[in-house]
């Protein structure tokens, strides 16, 4: 169907994984046979914006954020018009707490509403307008952060033409953040301090709670920096009783500077938490902040011990990985502390409120695991540039990091290493020994010219010989066992490359690979090694042996395969032979010879790492007719850089801080809290109430995942069983960690009845009770009197 090759975009429908239907008459087109590559092309869209004067009277559709407030945007549209008129008539904003000013604003709004022909509101909601009047003068940090993120992204859209602009009005309120109980008007009065704007909205009592709060911020990256800035401006932990602890075990890298605004060039290499804490203290000198460099996990429970967690008011996560989030979630669940969770991915962000006894915990719902390309696809059948770059990163690490490390492991203790390989006796051990032997054959790598030869032969191996072998094993007309074409979508039939020193892509790969190979061997790089003309001359002198494809070569095609190494019945014999050859090579080595493994570093543009990876990926892309990418795009994918921009970060942290008001106020219901998902690119804002926790009932009792039963006074096993019996629960199994303390099926366990549970944990479970621990936890399996299993909360046994 050659008529499709004119390069023009075409509309399609019924799009599936490997097929679609053209929305046009193809009667006179040639016959479609097979293959063909298409690319999705997004078409530009023209939007016609109304000028402000026209849009105010005819706003059109509002962009919604919270579907429980479907009628709110038109009301706020009216409220802002009323506020403009109030200011123009009186020359000032309404005074916070002034009922007279609030009534004046309501009157103005009512008059404007009555004058409307179309779009007149049936109910102008005087209660909401009263709140609006009280807070109209104040600029709140969380609202500024959230709207700053949105408007910042709109500026980027206007400059770049990328993504869909906000069309046209967006109104947002967080009335639920106001104190749950009525506030005395005198509480809104200014105190001539930096928090007067905040006091005019929330009152002095809530401001005091903010200042005296004990907060734990986990992470000091993009989110962490924004949170510290917000919290410092809000006055959180700035009182005599307040304290904020921030921890992060990472150091500042150059790439952080695009969005982590508390850091500067001269901070590169310094601890993130320390620098961020200093910058936040400069924003607000009253900030009581302590910076730590500890990773939060089981290994640091001596630092973040029971007392630490028990004294916290709230925990704010600013993490970048799920496992750490799950650990903090379990700690907050255990100690019944509110957890404010958030995350970003490019223009997307989400927030989740985890409130004791009101909401489900973070770990209650999980995202499905990310799909990864099968190993055989990456290594033999790539069909997009991501596959090529994944393979390139893997080869880089294998050649320049793992193999030199294997060599050093062998040289450090030859007998132990070779014995381990012999004991393994598999294809992986054979491959390891072959790679080590290739490095230790000193005749092949003594000079920089040897490194050039190695790189040139690697090019031939990767992009010529392997492809020739692949298409010899699976010719273009090959069929599967079912008779279907082997090379059908998404597989692409590859073509071997023809090396040419005049091709800059070819030459750059060989040049950068030679330099890194020399680096691993400690071979000096001559001045001419970075001269393209002289490098081309040196490469052309390399003698490349002819290659003949072999029969019966096994190439893995199973998408479920986890290893590409093919086992052989004579692996053990081959391994023994390789060990003998290694011993010969080692005898010829200098006494202190060691290789220098290279760890991939994406942010140094002068180290040739990305040159090798981009070269590997793009040459492989040429093999398979996949569009190539520049070094920047290659860095993004191979460096596994998670897209992060300041706009979505600002929005997420602003929304979380609006929830913080509710948490520290302490009287809010679950319907007052909001979880958010937003995509600034679309733009889309979706806010909803958190999901309440699952309730388990037994007799007249009920509990949720938030409950933890506590038993003090260092009870015996018998006392624990009787305590549960009194609740109508028959315990048949008690465990501590992975060890069984009691099971009703084992007669000998009855001898343990009068022993203290803590002593049983020490003796049976070998539980080490550290000085900072005051209790231990046991998991109890119970039945009711009708032999139904009852899932009860974790039980904490206090022995001190």
């Amino acid at each position: 169907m050659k008529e499709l090759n004119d390069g023009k975009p075409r509309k399609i429908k019924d799009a599936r994984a490997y097929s679609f239907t053209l929305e046009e008459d193809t009667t006179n087109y040639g016959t479609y046979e097979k293959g063909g590559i298409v690319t999705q092309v997004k078409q530009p869209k023209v939007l016609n914006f109304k000028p402000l004067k026209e849009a105010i009277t005819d706003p059109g559709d509002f962009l919604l954020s919270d579907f429980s407030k479907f009628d709110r945007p038109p009301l706020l549209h009216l409220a802002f018009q009323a506020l403009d008129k109030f200011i123009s008539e009186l020359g000032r904003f309404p005074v916070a707490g002034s009922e007279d000013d609030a009534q004046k604003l309501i009157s103005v709004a009512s008059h404007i509403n009555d004058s409307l022909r179309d779009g007149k509101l049936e109910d102008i909601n005087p209660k909401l307008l009263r709140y609006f009047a009280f807070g109209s003068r104040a600029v709140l940090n969380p609202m500024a952060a959230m709207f700053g993120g949105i408007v910042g992204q709109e500026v980027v859209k206007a400059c770049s033409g990328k993504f869909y602009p906000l069309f046209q009005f967006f109104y947002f309120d967080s009335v639920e953040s106001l104190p749950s109980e009525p506030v005395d008007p005198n509480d809104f009065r200014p105190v001539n301090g930096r928090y007067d704007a905040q006091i005019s909205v929330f009152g002095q009592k809530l401001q005091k709670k903010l200042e005296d709060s004990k907060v734990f911020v986990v992470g000091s990256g993009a989110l962490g920096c924004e949170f510290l800035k917000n919290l410092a401006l809000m006055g959180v932990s700035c009182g005599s009783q307040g304290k904020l602890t921030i921890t992060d075990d990472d150091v500042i890298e150059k790439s952080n500077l695009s969005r982590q605004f508390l850091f500067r060039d001269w901070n590169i290499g310094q601890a993130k938490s320390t620098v961020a804490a200093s910058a936040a203290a400069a924003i607000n000198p009253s900030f009581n902040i302590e910076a730590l460099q500890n990773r939060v996990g089981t290994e640091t429970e001596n630092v973040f011990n029971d007392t630490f967690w028990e004294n916290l008011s709230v925990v704010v996560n600013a993490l970048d990985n799920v496992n750490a989030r799950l650990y903090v979630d379990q700690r907050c669940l255990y100690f019944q502390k509110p957890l404010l969770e958030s995350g970003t991915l490019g223009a997307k962000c989400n927030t989740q409120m985890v409130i004791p006894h009101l909401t489900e915990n973070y770990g209650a719902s999980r995202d499905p695991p990310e799909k990864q390309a099968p190993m055989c696809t990456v290594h033999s059948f790539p069909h997009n540039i991501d596959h090529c770059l994944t393979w390139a990163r893997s080869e880089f690490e294998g050649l320049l990091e793992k193999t030199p490390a294997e060599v050093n492991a062998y040289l450090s203790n030859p007998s132990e290493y070779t014995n381990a390989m012999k004991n393994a006796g598999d294809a992986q051990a054979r491959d390891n020994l072959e790679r080590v032997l290739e490095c230790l054959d000193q005749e092949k790598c003594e000079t920089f010219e040897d490194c050039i030869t190695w790189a040139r032969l690697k090019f031939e191996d990767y992009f010529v010989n392997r492809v020739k072998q692949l298409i010899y094993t699976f010719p273009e007309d090959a069929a599967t066992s079912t008779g279907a074409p082997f090379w059908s979508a998404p597989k692409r039939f590859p073509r071997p490359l023809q090396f040419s020193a005049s091709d800059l892509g070819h030459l750059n790969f060989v040049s950068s690979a030679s330099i890194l190979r020399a680096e691993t061997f400690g071979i000096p790089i001559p001045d001419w090694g970075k001269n393209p003309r002289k490098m081309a001359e040196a490469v052309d002198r390399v003698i490349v042996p002819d290659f003949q494809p072999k029969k019966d070569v096994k190439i893995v095609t199973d998408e479920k395969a986890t290893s590409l190494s093919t086992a052989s019945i004579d692996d053990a014999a081959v391994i023994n032979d390789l060990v003998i050859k290694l011993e010969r090579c080692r005898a010829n080595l200098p006494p202190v010879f060691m290789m220098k493994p290279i760890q991939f570093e994406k942010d140094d543009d002068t180290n040739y790492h990305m040159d090798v990876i981009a070269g590997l990926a793009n040459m492989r892309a040429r093999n398979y007719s996949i569009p190539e990418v520049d070094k920047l795009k290659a860095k993004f994918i191979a460096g596994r850089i998670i897209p992060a921009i300041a706009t979505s970060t600002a929005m997420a942290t602003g929304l979380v801080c609006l929830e913080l008001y509710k948490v520290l106020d302490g009287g809010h219901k679950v319907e007052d809290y909001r979880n958010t998902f937003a995509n600034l690119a679309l733009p889309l804002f979706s806010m909803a109430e958190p999901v309440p926790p699952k309730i388990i009932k037994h007799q007249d009792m009920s509990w949720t995942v938030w409950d933890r039963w506590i038993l003090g006074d260092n009870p015996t096993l018998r006392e624990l069983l009787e305590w549960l019996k009194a609740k109508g629960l028959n315990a048949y199994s008690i465990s501590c960690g992975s060890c069984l303390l009691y099971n009703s099926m084992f007669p000998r366990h009855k001898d343990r009845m009068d022993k203290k549970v803590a002593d049983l944990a020490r003796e049976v479970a070998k539980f080490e009770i550290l000085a900072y621990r005051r209790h231990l936890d046991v998991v109890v399996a119970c039945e009711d009197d009708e032999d139904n299993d009852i899932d009860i909360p974790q039980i904490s046994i206090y022995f001190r």
Side-chain angles (χ1 to χ4, degrees):
M1 199 175 277
K2 295 181 180 178
E3 291 81 2
L4 300 182
N5 295 337
D6 56 11
K8 295 178 182 177
R10 288 175 156 80
K11 285 190 175 183
I12 65 167
K13 60 183 179 181
D14 303 330
R16 298 182 181 179
Y18 306 118
S19 68
F20 57 82
T21 303
L22 287 165
E23 280 194 14
E24 59 186 272
D25 183 5
T26 60
T27 307
N28 297 321
Y29 288 8
T31 304
Y32 172 74
E33 295 177 13
K34 65 174 184 176
I37 294 169
V38 297
T39 304
Q40 182 182 5
V41 180
K42 292 185 179 180
Q43 297 297 291
K45 184 172 182 178
V46 176
L47 295 174
N48 295 308
F49 286 78
K50 298 173 186 175
L52 180 61
K53 186 175 182 180
E54 183 183 336
I56 284 178
T57 56
D58 184 15
D61 293 331
F62 296 99
L63 179 63
L64 280 173
S65 62
D66 189 336
F67 285 94
S68 69
K69 302 177 180 179
F70 195 81
D71 59 345
R72 195 62 60 82
L75 181 57
L76 292 173
H77 187 68
L78 174 66
F80 275 98
Q81 292 178 70
L83 180 62
D84 284 344
K85 191 166 185 181
F86 183 103
I87 294 171
S88 66
E89 289 179 356
L90 299 180
R92 61 176 177 82
F93 282 90
V95 174
S98 170
E99 295 291 348
D100 289 343
D101 281 2
Q103 288 305 315
K104 286 177 186 174
L105 184 82
I106 293 168
S107 176
V108 172
S110 180
H111 181 73
I112 294 173
N113 188 50
D114 290 340
S115 67
L116 295 175
R117 295 178 183 176
D118 299 322
K120 181 178 178 180
L121 304 180
E122 293 182 6
D123 178 15
I124 63 169
N125 196 338
K127 182 179 178 181
L128 181 75
L129 290 177
R130 178 174 173 270
Y131 288 141
F132 182 87
F134 284 4
S136 61
R137 187 175 183 178
V139 177
L140 297 177
N141 164 266
M143 292 291 276
M146 193 209 78
F147 271 103
I150 296 172
V151 175
Q153 191 66 54
E154 293 303 311
V155 171
V156 174
K157 293 176 187 178
C159 295
S160 66
K162 188 174 178 65
F163 301 143
Y164 197 94
L166 201 158
F167 187 74
Q168 262 185 274
F169 277 103
F170 173 65
Y171 287 99
F172 169 80
D173 74 86
S174 184
V175 174
E176 302 80 18
S177 295
L178 295 173
S180 55
E181 298 294 329
V183 180
D184 187 321
N186 292 326
D187 212 33
F188 293 122
R189 289 181 178 175
V191 295
N192 196 28
R194 69 180 294 165
Y195 313 120
D196 279 353
Q198 196 161 252
I199 288 171
S200 73
V201 177
F202 297 100
Q204 294 178 28
K205 288 181 182 176
L206 183 52
Q207 182 61 44
K208 183 74 165 60
K209 289 181 180 179
L210 292 174
E211 292 177 26
D212 287 343
S213 61
K214 294 176 176 62
V215 181
F216 186 27
V217 178
V218 189
S220 187
L223 287 166
C225 283
E226 283 293 311
F227 275 127
L228 284 191
K229 178 260 293 177
N230 291 352
L231 298 174
L233 292 171
M234 293 164 66
V236 173
S237 302
C238 292
S240 58
Q241 304 298 313
K243 181 180 179 181
L244 185 144
T245 304
I246 185 164
T247 189
D248 195 314
D249 66 342
D250 202 4
V251 295
I252 299 164
E253 299 177 16
K254 186 177 182 179
S255 60
N256 299 150
L257 303 181
S258 67
R259 64 197 179 281
Q260 300 177 20
F261 297 141
L262 299 187
F263 306 146
R264 296 292 182 267
D265 285 357
W266 53 86
N267 298 131
I268 292 172
Q270 297 175 17
K272 283 186 175 182
S273 58
T274 305
V275 175
S278 298
I283 293 172
N284 189 338
S286 299
F287 208 7
N288 299 317
I289 184 168
E290 179 183 12
L292 303 175
Q293 287 84 48
N294 302 96
R295 181 188 296 269
V296 178
T298 52
E299 68 276 11
T300 55
E301 287 182 4
N302 61 322
V303 178
F304 307 111
N305 55 28
D306 292 6
T307 304
F308 173 84
W309 286 98
E310 287 166 355
N311 288 335
L312 292 175
S313 309
V314 64
V315 179
V316 180
N317 262 356
L319 290 160
D320 60 0
N321 70 89
V322 172
N323 288 337
R325 286 184 167 103
L326 289 170
Y327 175 80
V328 174
D329 175 57
Q330 285 301 309
R331 292 276 88 189
C332 289
L333 198 63
Y334 187 86
F335 291 100
Q336 303 187 18
K337 298 298 177 183
L339 171 63
L340 308 188
E341 174 61 59
S342 58
T344 67
L345 182 68
K348 301 173 188 174
C349 69
N350 74 284
T351 67
Q352 181 180 351
M353 303 305 110
V354 179
I355 311 300
H357 305 288
L358 293 183
T359 74
E360 67 177 9
N361 61 309
Y362 172 80
S365 56
R366 306 275 183 94
D367 291 333
E370 290 185 18
K371 289 185 177 180
Q372 292 186 329
M375 195 173 289
C376 67
T377 298
V378 170
H379 285 265
S380 299
F381 310 110
H383 51 85
N384 62 45
I385 195 64
D386 289 45
H387 297 155
C388 299
L389 282 160
T390 300
W391 172 82
R393 172 78 184 263
S394 174
E395 290 300 314
F396 179 97
E397 291 176 348
L399 292 172
L400 301 167
E401 181 181 359
K402 292 179 181 177
T403 298
E406 286 280 329
V407 169
N408 292 346
Y410 166 70
L411 294 175
S412 298
N413 197 327
S415 59
E416 183 179 318
Y417 182 85
T418 53
N419 286 337
M421 294 299 108
K422 287 178 181 179
N423 290 336
D426 56 10
Q428 185 62 57
R430 182 196 67 208
D431 291 349
N432 287 347
L433 288 168
E434 286 174 348
R435 288 198 300 269
V436 172
L437 180 62
E438 189 264 343
C439 285
L440 293 185
D441 188 345
Q442 284 292 288
E443 292 180 4
K444 293 182 180 177
C445 208
E446 293 182 307
T447 65
F448 185 65
E449 286 81 355
D450 293 334
C451 297
I452 294 173
T453 300
W454 174 85
R456 172 65 183 88
L457 295 179
K458 275 295 173 188
F459 182 99
E460 200 72 13
D461 175 40
Y462 283 143
F463 311 119
V464 183
N465 300 349
R466 292 191 190 186
V467 176
K468 286 180 179 179
Q469 182 65 60
L470 181 62
I471 60 180
Y472 178 82
T473 305
F474 300 110
E476 194 165 6
D477 58 356
T480 65
S481 57
T482 61
F486 180 83
W487 294 102
S488 57
K491 289 188 181 76
R492 296 183 177 214
F493 186 76
R495 311 280 179 187
L497 301 183
Q498 178 65 49
F499 181 83
S500 171
S502 61
D503 185 313
L504 283 180
H506 296 189
L507 186 63
N508 286 344
F509 166 73
V510 173
S511 177
S512 52
S514 303
I515 290 169
L516 292 188
R517 172 76 166 181
E519 189 178 318
T520 62
F521 279 90
I523 296 171
I525 300 164
D527 292 339
W528 61 264
K530 297 179 182 180
N531 182 306
R533 183 178 60 80
K534 292 185 177 180
M535 274 297 296
E537 292 172 358
V539 173
D540 281 337
R541 290 194 293 269
V542 176
I543 298 172
V544 179
D546 291 334
F547 173 78
Q548 289 298 324
K550 299 174 184 177
K551 289 184 179 181
D552 302 323
V553 169
K554 182 173 174 57
I555 295 175
V556 177
T557 59
D558 182 4
E559 292 190 353
K560 296 180 181 178
T562 57
S563 173
L564 296 173
S565 299
T566 54
S568 169
I569 57 172
D570 59 351
D571 274 341
V574 172
I575 287 172
N576 284 331
D577 185 50
L578 289 169
V579 168
I580 293 169
K581 291 179 180 178
L582 272 175
E583 288 303 310
R584 290 180 192 149
C585 287
R586 188 166 66 91
N588 297 326
L589 291 174
V592 292
F593 176 79
M594 281 284 183
M595 291 190 71
K596 298 178 178 63
I598 295 174
Q599 287 192 327
F600 174 60
E601 171 51 60
K602 65 182 183 298
D603 291 326
D604 184 351
D605 292 333
T606 64
N607 64 9
Y608 295 98
H609 295 192
M610 278 312 307
D611 297 87
V612 168
I613 286 177
L616 282 167
N618 283 331
M619 295 308 101
R620 188 168 179 79
R622 288 188 196 182
N623 283 140
Y624 290 87
S625 302
I626 295 170
E628 298 176 38
V629 291
D630 59 24
K631 202 162 77 170
L632 186 64
K633 179 71 172 177
K635 178 193 288 191
F636 173 74
I637 299 170
R640 296 162 191 160
I641 296 171
I642 297 173
I645 49 178
T647 50
S648 55
T649 305
M651 181 182 179
T653 56
L655 289 168
V656 168
C657 289
L658 285 171
E659 301 300 307
L660 181 64
Y661 289 126
K662 305 172 190 177
V663 171
L664 295 179
D665 178 56
H668 289 268
K669 301 175 182 177
V670 66
E671 54 264 30
D672 295 329
Y673 288 95
R674 291 292 183 272
N675 291 345
T676 303
F677 171 78
N679 187 337
L680 291 173
L682 297 178
L684 167 73
F685 307 100
S686 177
M687 298 179 181
E689 295 174 15
V691 178
K694 179 184 175 183
I695 298 174
I696 299 170
K697 295 183 178 180
H698 170 67
Q699 295 182 353
D700 59 346
M701 297 180 293
S702 64
W703 57 83
T704 70
V705 68
W706 285 101
D707 288 290
R708 175 165 59 105
W709 289 350
I710 295 174
L711 193 55
D713 299 328
N714 199 14
T716 63
L717 179 58
R718 187 187 305 278
E719 287 169 340
L720 172 58
L721 294 172
E722 290 174 351
W723 183 76
L724 290 167
K725 183 68 176 175
K727 297 177 181 290
L729 296 166
N730 303 312
Y732 60 85
S733 175
I734 301 173
S735 57
C736 179
S738 59
C739 191
L740 194 63
L741 300 184
Y742 168 77
N743 191 295
S744 59
M745 299 289 289
F746 298 156
R748 288 197 305 173
H749 283 193
K750 292 180 181 178
D751 297 339
R752 301 175 178 178
M753 284 293 190
D754 294 317
K755 288 191 174 184
K756 302 285 187 182
V757 176
D759 293 338
L760 280 175
R762 288 190 190 94
E763 296 167 15
V764 179
K766 307 302 180 186
F767 185 80
E768 184 182 1
I769 297 179
L770 301 171
Y772 60 85
R773 294 298 300 266
R774 295 186 290 121
H775 71 275
L776 60 88
D777 302 311
V778 294
V779 176
V780 182
C782 290
E783 296 174 335
D784 62 17
D785 292 334
E786 296 175 357
D787 296 335
N788 298 311
D789 275 333
I790 305 294
D791 188 11
I792 70 168
Q794 191 176 48
I795 298 178
S796 293
I797 306 293
Y798 277 76
F799 46 81
R800 286 178 184 158

